[in-house]
Amino acid sequence: MYHVLIADDHAVVRSGLAYLINQQPNFEVIDEAADGTSTYLRVEQGDVDILVMDLSMPPGESGLITTQRIHEHFPDVRILILSMHEEQEYINKALHNGAMSYIMKSSSDDELLKALKTVANGEEYVDTNIVITKSDVQQINSNGVDTNLTGYNGLSKREREVFPLVALGYSNKEIAAKLFISTKTVEAHKANIMRKLALNNRSDLIRYAIHHHLIDF
């Protein structure tokens, strides 16, 4: 039995996907999440085999960043992106960041189920409505780290969880409650983030987050 986690900011979408997936033999939806941070924290708890995730789940961390973080720390979790974004930039970046599959929300249920079963077999699957060129393959398979994001990539796992919450204006107390850590720990993480990214204040952090597409408002 493959345990599936569904991540989407719309409850009705999560409900529909859960109903569809639970009808399939050998697949069971064990939980749902509505944003990037919650998705990562649920994967961290264990027992997730396949993650079906949207890329835009405001407010919070960009799905592209969530994909990268989960792939880095939990490479055995198979990530299937289900998104409305048809732009090649999103598709290439998602696959580059570790997604095994990319399906359009405008596609049929059959397309999603085919992707789900292919990913379960450990194989990659891209929506038949998406055309991948040689140039796209080069971008997807490139080993280079985005030089503009070297500072961000140097943040610790926990610092990357604190980052979007700070940018969105959550208080230290709210961040502490959301991540199950103390306010003093939040303050320490915030100080480290500002130092590592060479930022002076929250306004600088917000500009940095928007410029690098790290969060969805």
Side-chain angles (χ1 to χ4, degrees):
M1 183 68 71
Y2 292 100
H3 291 166
V4 181
L5 170 64
I6 295 173
D8 194 287
D9 58 324
H10 293 101
V12 67
V13 173
R14 297 196 302 271
S15 177
L17 287 173
Y19 178 77
L20 178 66
I21 293 171
N22 282 330
Q23 286 186 312
Q24 310 309 310
N26 303 320
F27 292 94
E28 178 188 6
V29 175
I30 58 167
D31 214 340
E32 300 175 8
D35 58 68
T37 300
S38 300
T39 301
Y40 185 90
L41 292 174
R42 180 59 187 86
V43 169
E44 198 173 36
Q45 291 175 25
D47 76 356
V48 175
D49 299 310
I50 299 172
L51 167 61
V52 177
M53 183 173 70
D54 190 6
L55 281 184
S56 297
M57 296 184 286
E61 183 177 75
S62 160
L64 290 171
I65 299 299
T66 305
T67 299
Q68 182 186 45
R69 289 207 300 132
I70 290 173
H71 182 63
E72 281 178 3
H73 297 282
F74 307 98
D76 290 338
V77 174
R78 299 157 194 184
I79 304 172
L80 187 162
I81 300 298
L82 181 63
S83 176
M84 64 178 183
H85 288 293
E86 300 182 10
E87 300 90 339
Q88 203 65 43
E89 179 187 359
Y90 278 94
I91 298 166
N92 293 354
K93 190 75 172 175
L95 297 174
H96 174 78
N97 285 3
M100 288 184 68
S101 179
Y102 196 107
I103 300 299
M104 308 301 305
K105 280 190 171 180
S106 56
S107 292
S108 66
D109 290 352
D110 288 342
E111 190 72 14
L112 173 63
L113 294 177
K114 190 173 180 180
L116 192 68
K117 291 164 186 173
T118 303
V119 165
N121 288 329
E123 300 170 17
E124 297 180 352
Y125 185 91
V126 176
D127 197 307
T128 51
N129 296 302
I130 295 172
V131 177
I132 300 289
T133 66
K134 282 186 178 180
S135 173
D136 294 324
V137 172
Q138 288 176 346
Q139 288 181 36
I140 293 166
N141 294 329
S142 66
N143 294 319
V145 176
D146 187 339
T147 52
N148 293 323
L149 281 175
T150 50
Y152 181 81
N153 290 326
L155 298 182
S156 70
K157 178 170 71 73
R158 187 62 89 183
E159 287 162 2
R160 290 201 207 178
E161 290 170 0
V162 170
F163 179 94
L165 300 177
V166 174
L168 290 166
Y170 285 87
S171 68
N172 289 350
K173 190 175 180 180
E174 289 171 329
I175 296 172
K178 203 170 182 69
L179 299 180
F180 307 105
I181 55 179
S182 70
T183 52
K184 282 191 175 181
T185 302
V186 172
E187 289 170 7
H189 286 318
K190 284 174 69 173
N192 286 336
I193 290 168
M194 302 304 275
R195 177 179 54 80
K196 290 180 179 180
L197 300 182
L199 303 174
N200 296 316
N201 50 50
R202 181 171 165 261
S203 295
D204 288 347
L205 188 144
I206 292 171
R207 279 193 289 271
Y208 183 94
I210 293 172
H211 180 73
H212 294 297
H213 308 292
L214 296 173
I215 60 173
D216 288 322
F217 285 96

